Structures are given as C-alpha cells and as structure tokens.
Amino acid sequence: VQLQASGGGLVQAGGSLRLSCAASGRILRINDMGWYRQAPGNQRELVAVITSGSLTNYADSVKGRFTISRDDAKNTVYLQMNSLKPEDTAVYYCKANVQGPYYGANYWGIGTLVTVSS
C-alpha cells in the first residue's frame, strides 16, 4: 500500500490550499484517515482525522479553518485549509489505517510542504 500526497506549496497568510492523499495497492477497506504536520524543531502533531463513518476530529488550532473529507471510491482523503496562518507552516503527512487481504496496518505518505508567508 502506498499513499501519495499532493497539494502543498507557498501561500500568503489568509489564503487557502487543498491537500490530497490517494491510497493505492491491495486494499480491502480503509478505516481512519488523517493528516498530521511537523514544523521545524517540533514533534509531529495531529491536524485532523476522519473515520470510515465520516466522523471527524480536529486539533484546536485548526478548528473552523480546516476541513477534512474523504472519497472512498477514490481511496482519497482531502484537507481543505482556509485562512492560513504562518504558524501553519509545516510538512503535512497523511496517514491511513488500511485493511488488506491478509492484515491491517497504518501507512504514512511522504510529506508535502506547506509554507505560509506573512
């Protein structure tokens, strides 16, 4: 199973970006999907998570600005980021809990860099 993230880039404060992360491989079912981020010198932190039933949870710092969603037909999770702030600058990683033919496991995508200029 591989996760391919895209959509990062440079944006001015107050702007928007949409991240996407598509899973591919031998997938029977994808359970929770989520986005994490890691800023320089900081630990990786949860940004948002969405369950297979589309229940969502957000870090307090992004509530009301970010929206996580998923398209199960495409095995893809999205993160719509609005009203971006310089403190949102980080490498963003997607994560998915995937059930394959023989076992389930957590998979991480290669990060995508989001830079918010002031």
Side-chain angles (χ1 to χ4, degrees):
V1 175
Q2 291 185 326
L3 301 183
Q4 181 65 50
S6 61
L10 174 63
V11 64
Q12 288 188 330
S16 298
L17 282 175
R18 188 191 195 209
L19 305 183
S20 301
C21 177
S24 60
R26 303 189 70 184
I27 298 169
L28 292 184
R29 182 182 68 252
I30 300 179
N31 299 313
D32 292 359
M33 304 181 82
W35 289 95
Y36 294 71
R37 68 186 181 186
Q38 187 167 16
N42 291 356
Q43 290 187 334
R44 191 173 297 187
E45 63 176 3
L46 172 69
V47 176
V49 64
I50 184 167
T51 70
S52 57
S54 294
L55 295 176
T56 59
N57 192 36
Y58 296 91
D60 287 342
S61 59
V62 306
K63 282 181 181 176
R65 301 187 297 122
F66 291 11
T67 303
I68 189 171
S69 60
R70 60 191 287 167
D71 184 338
D72 289 334
K74 297 180 179 180
N75 290 334
T76 299
V77 61
Y78 304 96
L79 186 68
Q80 178 66 45
M81 304 185 293
N82 299 329
S83 302
L84 282 160
K85 304 175 181 180
E87 52 263 43
D88 294 317
T89 295
V91 177
Y92 284 70
Y93 299 89
C94 57
K95 177 185 175 183
N97 181 267
V98 178
Q99 180 64 51
Y102 306 108
Y103 59 88
N106 289 320
Y107 296 89
W108 289 89
I110 297 175
T112 184
L113 177 63
V114 172
T115 303
V116 184
S117 63
S118 57

